[in-house]
Amino acid sequence: MEEFDPVGTLSLIVREYMDEHNGALPRYIVVSPTLYTWLGDITREEWLLRGNDPERTPQGRVLTDYGVVRMQIDTKLSDYDIIPN
């Protein structure tokens, strides 16, 4: 069984969305509470590794290869679902 790569999956989903919407980023992504926390932790870690001010870490947002995207929670989603909007 393969492990789930949230960053790789997110990047693929955002790229597909952009391809279908003339290069526009999604306004936000919808994820489960667990994935929201997981992606938030990854974003905070990456933010700090880039030498940014920890006080200015994006809250409720995730860094992607294409820009910063807001996150929303849907408790009905599985921990593997990422829905762009």
Side-chain angles (χ1 to χ4, degrees):
M1 184 173 167
E2 290 183 42
E3 288 191 31
F4 177 63
D5 174 12
V7 174
T9 302
L10 174 62
S11 184
L12 177 65
I13 288 170
V14 169
R15 179 77 250 162
E16 288 173 351
Y17 181 94
M18 291 173 66
D19 288 347
E20 294 171 6
H21 295 88
N22 299 319
L25 277 170
R27 291 185 319 261
Y28 57 91
I29 58 167
V30 184
V31 295
S32 71
T34 301
L35 195 50
Y36 181 94
T37 299
W38 197 2
L39 289 170
D41 290 346
I42 291 168
T43 293
R44 271 187 294 288
E45 199 171 305
E46 187 172 334
W47 183 259
L48 296 175
L49 288 172
R50 291 180 180 185
N52 292 307
D53 181 355
E55 296 295 320
R56 302 194 71 204
T57 302
Q59 299 296 315
R61 290 168 167 60
V62 63
L63 298 175
T64 73
D65 293 338
Y66 311 102
V68 178
V69 177
R70 290 183 310 124
M71 294 188 289
Q72 290 188 353
I73 296 174
D74 185 334
T75 58
K76 297 177 195 121
L77 295 179
S78 83
D79 293 339
Y80 306 101
D81 293 327
I82 300 174
I83 301 171
N85 286 300

